[in-house]
Amino acid sequence: MRPFVIRRPKSLDEAQDAARERPQDGVLRAGGIDLIDRMKEGIDAPAELVELRGLADETGELMRALGPAGDGMEVGALVTLAQLAAHEGFGEARAALRQAAGSAATPTIRNTATLGGNLLQRPRCWYFRHADLVCLKKGGTACLAVSGENKFHAILGGGPSFIVHPSTLACALTALDAQVEVRGAEARTIALGELFLTPKQDARREHTLEPGEVLVRAILPKAAETQRSGYAAVKEKQSHDWPMAEAAVKMSLQSGVMTDVRVVLGHVAPIPWRSREAEAALEGKPASAALFAEAAKAALAEARPLRDNAYKIPLAQGLLREVLHRVAGVPLPE
């Protein structure tokens, strides 16, 4: 690993100035879990890390905030996954976020990894992570997964790169209609979906942040009294592996009828995959096992698997059905 220095600014302005001083050779860091992995793998070799955890200004306070904000809630970018998993204020309405945070990685990593780092981590594709391979995301001419080992790659929205989005929190936050606040030369608040880029938009990047911009917090809108949500993932090793598929669901449920439905799949596409087809199948209808099966089929209707990952279609369908049953309180068929 290349030697590096750490700078610990006390304000966001200082941190951004430090990043601008070395635009090609400096990195903003929060928990640093993914960054250290990439440095060990020889993918990144920054000479300077700009530490964000010590910010003592108003922005630093926002980045550590976790709780009510206006009619909704705020989750600062420096809040750890362990804090999210233990937070009792989410209730049934936002349970998907607590469940997603609690399922990620290991307890040790959850104590360090942050919301901001989880959202902005880079793909875990083994071709991208191999220092000696030049894939499309590293300036090559092709996605090596297309003709290579593609067991864990995208079945929805893929091409020209077939990465899957690695953030567990992004799946749940997208289902909860979250926005994110970003601060750079100007402050802006955008829907979470606008933060992420598909490979068709830019094969080299995964998000829309410009150099020096900092993700400050996620903002969750007001939740209806009848809102409930849930999340689940399937892994090869349930204890500490990367998901093969995820599903997050939000809905309002009154007299058994579902409204304001959101269905999001994870680890099946280069971005958190919102299925408007599944939502349309569910919206305004009474919850039932037959309807959930129809919605799950609709969610994967456009899947285009590669050679080794067609298993993800029935896997994601079954996972989505399970989450829908749990959130709606409909018993699973025997």
Side-chain angles (χ1 to χ4, degrees), residues 75-146:
V75 182
L78 294 176
V79 172
T80 67
L81 304 193
Q83 289 175 298
L84 289 174
H87 189 62
E88 297 181 354
F90 291 132
E92 287 191 9
R94 303 181 179 99
L97 183 56
R98 183 182 67 250
Q99 293 161 4
S103 79
T106 63
T108 300
I109 291 175
R110 290 196 293 271
N111 281 325
T112 301
T114 62
L115 175 135
N118 187 270
L119 290 178
L120 300 176
Q121 65 185 297
R122 304 222 57 197
R124 295 287 170 168
C125 168
W126 42 50
Y127 295 110
F128 173 72
R129 295 276 172 164
H130 196 300
D132 296 329
L133 298 177
V134 184
C135 68
L136 188 65
K137 294 201 70 63
K138 293 188 287 186
T141 59
C143 175
L144 301 180
V146 173

Side-chain angles (χ1 to χ4, degrees), residues 280-303:
L282 299 166
E283 186 70 29
K285 298 175 183 175
S288 71
L291 188 60
F292 295 160
E294 177 186 333
K297 184 177 179 180
L300 278 298
E302 298 300 318

Side-chain angles (χ1 to χ4, degrees), residues 16-32:
Q16 291 170 326
D17 287 344
R20 282 190 286 266
E21 286 175 15
R22 307 187 76 156
Q24 306 301 322
D25 215 19
V27 177
L28 295 168
R29 186 187 88 141

Side-chain angles (χ1 to χ4, degrees), residues 221-272:
K222 180 180 179 180
E225 292 183 5
T226 56
Q227 179 176 309
R228 55 185 66 188
S229 69
Y231 164 91
V234 175
K235 311 172 185 179
E236 285 195 316
K237 297 188 293 293
Q238 284 296 112
S239 60
H240 63 275
D241 213 347
W242 294 98
M244 295 184 289
E246 304 169 289
V249 169
K250 182 205 76 171
M251 66 175 69
S252 289
L253 192 68
Q254 195 162 12
S255 300
V257 176
M258 300 172 288
T259 58
D260 194 28
V261 181
R262 297 290 182 273
V263 173
V264 182
L265 300 176
H267 277 81
V268 295
I271 59 174

Side-chain angles (χ1 to χ4, degrees), residues 160-175:
S161 170
F162 287 83
I163 60 158
V164 293
H165 188 79
S167 170
T168 288
L169 298 187
C171 184
L173 286 169
T174 301

